[in-house]
Each structure stands twice: as C-alpha cells, then as structure tokens.
Short mmCIF file of all heavy atoms in Angstrom, two decimals:
data_model
loop_
_atom_site.label_atom_id
_atom_site.label_comp_id
_atom_site.label_asym_id
_atom_site.label_seq_id
_atom_site.Cartn_x
_atom_site.Cartn_y
_atom_site.Cartn_z
N THR S 1046 2.89 5.17 -5.83
CA THR S 1046 3.15 5.26 -4.47
C THR S 1046 2.69 6.68 -3.96
O THR S 1046 3.03 7.67 -4.58
CB THR S 1046 4.72 5.18 -4.11
OG1 THR S 1046 5.13 3.92 -4.60
CG2 THR S 1046 4.95 5.26 -2.60
N ILE S 1047 1.89 6.73 -2.87
CA ILE S 1047 1.53 8.00 -2.28
C ILE S 1047 1.79 7.90 -0.69
O ILE S 1047 1.93 6.83 -0.14
CB ILE S 1047 0.07 8.35 -2.51
CG1 ILE S 1047 -0.91 7.28 -2.03
CG2 ILE S 1047 -0.13 8.61 -4.06
CD1 ILE S 1047 -2.30 7.68 -2.18
N SER S 1048 1.78 9.08 -0.12
CA SER S 1048 2.08 9.19 1.34
C SER S 1048 1.13 10.17 2.02
O SER S 1048 0.76 11.19 1.42
CB SER S 1048 3.42 9.52 1.59
OG SER S 1048 3.71 9.64 2.95
N GLY S 1049 0.72 9.82 3.26
CA GLY S 1049 -0.26 10.72 3.91
C GLY S 1049 0.38 12.01 4.48
O GLY S 1049 -0.32 13.04 4.49
N HIS S 1050 1.57 11.94 4.99
CA HIS S 1050 2.02 13.10 5.74
C HIS S 1050 2.46 14.29 4.79
O HIS S 1050 2.80 15.33 5.33
CB HIS S 1050 3.17 12.77 6.71
CG HIS S 1050 4.49 12.51 6.16
ND1 HIS S 1050 5.61 13.35 6.24
CD2 HIS S 1050 4.95 11.48 5.35
CE1 HIS S 1050 6.61 12.86 5.61
NE2 HIS S 1050 6.23 11.65 5.11
N LYS S 1051 2.37 14.06 3.52
CA LYS S 1051 2.63 15.16 2.53
C LYS S 1051 1.37 15.93 2.24
O LYS S 1051 1.38 16.99 1.57
CB LYS S 1051 3.25 14.59 1.28
CG LYS S 1051 4.40 13.67 1.41
CD LYS S 1051 5.60 14.41 2.02
CE LYS S 1051 6.82 13.44 1.99
NZ LYS S 1051 8.08 14.04 2.50
N ILE S 1052 0.16 15.38 2.70
CA ILE S 1052 -1.08 16.05 2.34
C ILE S 1052 -1.94 16.34 3.64
O ILE S 1052 -3.11 16.38 3.59
CB ILE S 1052 -1.89 15.17 1.44
CG1 ILE S 1052 -2.29 13.81 2.10
CG2 ILE S 1052 -1.16 14.86 0.12
CD1 ILE S 1052 -3.48 13.20 1.40
N HIS S 1053 -1.23 16.57 4.75
CA HIS S 1053 -1.84 17.01 6.04
C HIS S 1053 -2.50 15.92 6.76
O HIS S 1053 -3.38 16.16 7.59
CB HIS S 1053 -2.80 18.17 5.72
CG HIS S 1053 -2.18 19.36 5.11
ND1 HIS S 1053 -1.32 20.17 5.76
CD2 HIS S 1053 -2.31 19.83 3.80
CE1 HIS S 1053 -0.92 21.08 4.90
NE2 HIS S 1053 -1.45 20.91 3.68
N ALA S 1054 -2.04 14.65 6.56
CA ALA S 1054 -2.39 13.49 7.31
C ALA S 1054 -1.18 13.21 8.22
O ALA S 1054 -0.12 13.84 8.07
CB ALA S 1054 -2.71 12.30 6.49
N PRO S 1055 -1.32 12.33 9.23
CA PRO S 1055 -0.14 12.03 10.14
C PRO S 1055 0.89 11.29 9.42
O PRO S 1055 0.67 10.65 8.32
CB PRO S 1055 -0.81 11.26 11.26
CG PRO S 1055 -2.25 11.37 11.10
CD PRO S 1055 -2.53 11.68 9.67
N LYS S 1056 2.03 11.17 10.05
CA LYS S 1056 3.15 10.30 9.57
C LYS S 1056 2.69 8.87 9.90
O LYS S 1056 1.94 8.61 10.78
CB LYS S 1056 4.43 10.62 10.24
CG LYS S 1056 4.88 12.09 9.90
CD LYS S 1056 6.03 12.51 10.90
CE LYS S 1056 6.28 14.02 10.73
NZ LYS S 1056 5.14 14.90 11.18
N GLY S 1057 3.24 7.93 9.11
CA GLY S 1057 2.99 6.49 9.39
C GLY S 1057 1.90 5.91 8.55
O GLY S 1057 1.45 4.75 8.85
N ILE S 1058 1.52 6.55 7.52
CA ILE S 1058 0.39 5.97 6.57
C ILE S 1058 0.69 6.43 5.18
O ILE S 1058 1.09 7.54 4.85
CB ILE S 1058 -0.91 6.40 7.09
CG1 ILE S 1058 -2.02 5.65 6.24
CG2 ILE S 1058 -1.16 7.92 6.96
CD1 ILE S 1058 -2.01 4.15 6.38
N GLY S 1059 0.58 5.48 4.29
CA GLY S 1059 0.67 5.72 2.82
C GLY S 1059 -0.16 4.67 2.13
O GLY S 1059 -0.98 3.97 2.71
N ALA S 1060 -0.02 4.61 0.80
CA ALA S 1060 -0.73 3.66 0.00
C ALA S 1060 0.03 3.37 -1.27
O ALA S 1060 0.77 4.16 -1.75
CB ALA S 1060 -2.14 4.14 -0.29
N LEU S 1061 -0.27 2.11 -1.79
CA LEU S 1061 0.29 1.76 -3.09
C LEU S 1061 -0.90 1.40 -3.98
O LEU S 1061 -1.76 0.51 -3.60
CB LEU S 1061 1.16 0.55 -2.97
CG LEU S 1061 1.78 0.02 -4.28
CD1 LEU S 1061 2.74 1.11 -4.93
CD2 LEU S 1061 2.57 -1.31 -4.07
N TYR S 1062 -1.02 2.10 -5.12
CA TYR S 1062 -1.98 1.76 -6.18
C TYR S 1062 -1.43 0.62 -6.96
O TYR S 1062 -0.25 0.73 -7.47
CB TYR S 1062 -2.22 2.93 -7.03
CG TYR S 1062 -2.94 2.66 -8.36
CD1 TYR S 1062 -4.25 2.65 -8.46
CD2 TYR S 1062 -2.09 2.42 -9.49
CE1 TYR S 1062 -4.89 2.28 -9.72
CE2 TYR S 1062 -2.73 2.12 -10.75
CZ TYR S 1062 -4.12 2.11 -10.80
OH TYR S 1062 -4.67 1.77 -12.06
N ILE S 1063 -2.20 -0.43 -7.19
CA ILE S 1063 -1.82 -1.56 -8.01
C ILE S 1063 -2.99 -1.71 -9.07
O ILE S 1063 -4.09 -1.92 -8.65
CB ILE S 1063 -1.71 -2.85 -7.19
CG1 ILE S 1063 -0.65 -2.69 -6.07
CG2 ILE S 1063 -1.28 -4.04 -8.12
CD1 ILE S 1063 -0.49 -3.87 -5.15
N ARG S 1064 -2.61 -1.65 -10.31
CA ARG S 1064 -3.60 -1.69 -11.34
C ARG S 1064 -4.37 -3.02 -11.32
O ARG S 1064 -3.77 -4.03 -10.91
CB ARG S 1064 -3.03 -1.36 -12.69
CG ARG S 1064 -2.15 -2.42 -13.31
CD ARG S 1064 -2.06 -2.41 -14.81
NE ARG S 1064 -1.09 -3.24 -15.30
CZ ARG S 1064 -1.19 -4.49 -15.52
NH1 ARG S 1064 -2.39 -5.12 -15.24
NH2 ARG S 1064 -0.15 -5.22 -16.02
N SER S 1065 -5.57 -2.94 -11.79
CA SER S 1065 -6.39 -4.22 -11.84
C SER S 1065 -5.73 -5.30 -12.69
O SER S 1065 -5.21 -4.96 -13.83
CB SER S 1065 -7.76 -3.89 -12.42
OG SER S 1065 -8.47 -2.94 -11.62
N GLY S 1066 -5.66 -6.46 -12.21
CA GLY S 1066 -5.15 -7.58 -13.04
C GLY S 1066 -3.68 -7.86 -12.71
O GLY S 1066 -3.13 -8.89 -13.17
N LEU S 1067 -2.92 -6.93 -12.08
CA LEU S 1067 -1.56 -7.11 -11.81
C LEU S 1067 -1.39 -7.94 -10.46
O LEU S 1067 -1.86 -7.43 -9.40
CB LEU S 1067 -0.87 -5.80 -11.61
CG LEU S 1067 0.65 -5.80 -11.33
CD1 LEU S 1067 1.38 -6.55 -12.51
CD2 LEU S 1067 1.19 -4.37 -11.21
N LYS S 1068 -0.85 -9.07 -10.49
CA LYS S 1068 -0.70 -9.93 -9.33
C LYS S 1068 0.63 -9.65 -8.65
O LYS S 1068 1.48 -10.55 -8.60
CB LYS S 1068 -0.85 -11.41 -9.79
CG LYS S 1068 -2.10 -11.74 -10.48
CD LYS S 1068 -3.38 -11.44 -9.71
CE LYS S 1068 -4.62 -11.89 -10.48
NZ LYS S 1068 -5.85 -11.59 -9.72
N LEU S 1069 0.72 -8.49 -8.03
CA LEU S 1069 2.01 -8.17 -7.39
C LEU S 1069 2.12 -8.99 -6.08
O LEU S 1069 1.20 -9.04 -5.26
CB LEU S 1069 1.99 -6.69 -6.99
CG LEU S 1069 3.31 -6.09 -6.48
CD1 LEU S 1069 4.37 -5.98 -7.60
CD2 LEU S 1069 3.14 -4.77 -5.82
N PRO S 1070 3.27 -9.63 -5.89
CA PRO S 1070 3.44 -10.41 -4.63
C PRO S 1070 3.49 -9.49 -3.45
O PRO S 1070 3.89 -8.36 -3.47
CB PRO S 1070 4.84 -11.01 -4.90
CG PRO S 1070 5.08 -10.99 -6.32
CD PRO S 1070 4.43 -9.77 -6.87
N PRO S 1071 2.96 -9.99 -2.37
CA PRO S 1071 3.05 -9.23 -1.05
C PRO S 1071 4.48 -8.88 -0.66
O PRO S 1071 5.37 -9.63 -1.01
CB PRO S 1071 2.43 -10.15 -0.04
CG PRO S 1071 1.58 -11.08 -0.83
CD PRO S 1071 2.28 -11.34 -2.09
N TYR S 1072 4.65 -7.83 0.13
CA TYR S 1072 5.99 -7.44 0.54
C TYR S 1072 6.16 -7.78 2.04
O TYR S 1072 7.25 -8.14 2.49
CB TYR S 1072 6.15 -5.99 0.35
CG TYR S 1072 7.52 -5.42 0.68
CD1 TYR S 1072 8.64 -5.91 0.04
CD2 TYR S 1072 7.61 -4.41 1.62
CE1 TYR S 1072 9.92 -5.39 0.31
CE2 TYR S 1072 8.88 -3.92 1.92
CZ TYR S 1072 10.05 -4.48 1.24
OH TYR S 1072 11.25 -3.93 1.57
N ILE S 1073 5.09 -7.64 2.84
CA ILE S 1073 5.14 -7.97 4.33
C ILE S 1073 4.20 -9.18 4.51
O ILE S 1073 3.03 -9.14 4.13
CB ILE S 1073 4.71 -6.82 5.15
CG1 ILE S 1073 5.58 -5.66 4.96
CG2 ILE S 1073 4.58 -7.19 6.59
CD1 ILE S 1073 5.23 -4.39 5.75
N LEU S 1074 4.72 -10.21 4.96
CA LEU S 1074 3.92 -11.51 5.16
C LEU S 1074 3.46 -11.64 6.58
O LEU S 1074 4.13 -11.15 7.55
CB LEU S 1074 4.86 -12.66 4.81
CG LEU S 1074 5.43 -12.58 3.36
CD1 LEU S 1074 6.36 -13.78 3.16
CD2 LEU S 1074 4.35 -12.60 2.29
N GLY S 1075 2.38 -12.33 6.73
CA GLY S 1075 1.80 -12.55 8.12
C GLY S 1075 0.34 -12.92 7.99
O GLY S 1075 -0.03 -13.86 7.37
N GLY S 1076 -0.50 -12.02 8.62
CA GLY S 1076 -1.97 -12.33 8.58
C GLY S 1076 -2.56 -11.92 7.20
O GLY S 1076 -1.84 -11.66 6.24
N GLY S 1077 -3.83 -11.96 7.18
CA GLY S 1077 -4.56 -11.72 5.92
C GLY S 1077 -5.04 -10.40 5.70
O GLY S 1077 -5.97 -10.12 4.89
N GLN S 1078 -4.45 -9.35 6.41
CA GLN S 1078 -4.95 -7.99 6.19
C GLN S 1078 -4.68 -7.44 4.80
O GLN S 1078 -3.86 -8.03 4.07
CB GLN S 1078 -4.25 -7.10 7.25
CG GLN S 1078 -4.57 -7.35 8.74
CD GLN S 1078 -3.64 -8.35 9.33
OE1 GLN S 1078 -2.86 -8.99 8.66
NE2 GLN S 1078 -3.82 -8.49 10.68
N GLU S 1079 -5.43 -6.44 4.45
CA GLU S 1079 -5.31 -5.86 3.12
C GLU S 1079 -5.57 -6.93 2.02
O GLU S 1079 -4.75 -7.00 1.06
CB GLU S 1079 -4.05 -5.17 2.91
CG GLU S 1079 -3.86 -3.88 3.75
CD GLU S 1079 -4.94 -2.82 3.39
OE1 GLU S 1079 -4.87 -2.14 2.33
OE2 GLU S 1079 -5.93 -2.70 4.17
N ARG S 1080 -6.57 -7.74 2.31
CA ARG S 1080 -6.96 -8.80 1.28
C ARG S 1080 -5.76 -9.73 0.96
O ARG S 1080 -5.55 -10.16 -0.13
CB ARG S 1080 -7.42 -8.17 -0.05
CG ARG S 1080 -8.80 -7.48 0.18
CD ARG S 1080 -8.99 -6.32 -0.89
NE ARG S 1080 -8.24 -5.15 -0.50
CZ ARG S 1080 -7.94 -4.16 -1.38
NH1 ARG S 1080 -8.31 -4.31 -2.64
NH2 ARG S 1080 -7.25 -3.09 -0.97
N GLY S 1081 -4.99 -9.94 2.04
CA GLY S 1081 -3.86 -10.90 1.94
C GLY S 1081 -2.64 -10.26 1.31
O GLY S 1081 -1.59 -10.91 1.07
N MET S 1082 -2.65 -8.97 1.01
CA MET S 1082 -1.50 -8.35 0.31
C MET S 1082 -0.50 -7.58 1.17
O MET S 1082 0.60 -7.30 0.78
CB MET S 1082 -2.11 -7.34 -0.68
CG MET S 1082 -2.82 -7.95 -1.87
SD MET S 1082 -1.61 -8.78 -2.96
CE MET S 1082 -0.84 -7.34 -3.78
N ARG S 1083 -0.93 -7.25 2.39
CA ARG S 1083 -0.01 -6.51 3.29
C ARG S 1083 -0.31 -6.87 4.78
O ARG S 1083 -1.35 -6.31 5.34
CB ARG S 1083 -0.18 -5.02 3.05
CG ARG S 1083 1.09 -4.17 3.47
CD ARG S 1083 0.83 -3.65 4.81
NE ARG S 1083 1.84 -2.68 5.17
CZ ARG S 1083 1.92 -2.07 6.42
NH1 ARG S 1083 0.99 -2.30 7.30
NH2 ARG S 1083 2.89 -1.28 6.72
#
C-alpha cells in the first residue's frame, strides 16, 4: 500500500501493488475501471 499525499501529491490518491499472478478480488464494485479491479 502507498499513498500520494505523503510524497507531495494531493490528498485523495493512492495505489495498491498486487504481485503478478495474484488474483485478488476487487474491493469496490461497479464499472470496469482499473482493468475491472477497482
């Protein structure tokens, strides 16, 4: 887990690294953004 506002980016943005091959289920459901993952 990383976050933008700790490195001089605005609040409201971060990212999750998921290693290759790991089929982590989505956490927020809806449209197909983020390759269907978020």
Side-chain angles (χ1 to χ4, degrees):
T1046 303
I1047 59 175
S1048 178
H1050 76 107
K1051 311 295 187 181
I1052 65 160
H1053 304 287
K1056 301 167 187 66
I1058 185 64
L1061 180 66
Y1062 162 88
I1063 304 175
R1064 71 158 169 82
S1065 298
L1067 180 60
K1068 305 298 183 182
L1069 188 73
Y1072 184 62
I1073 297 179
L1074 304 176
Q1078 294 88 352
E1079 290 300 284
R1080 292 154 283 163
M1082 288 291 285
R1083 199 266 187 181

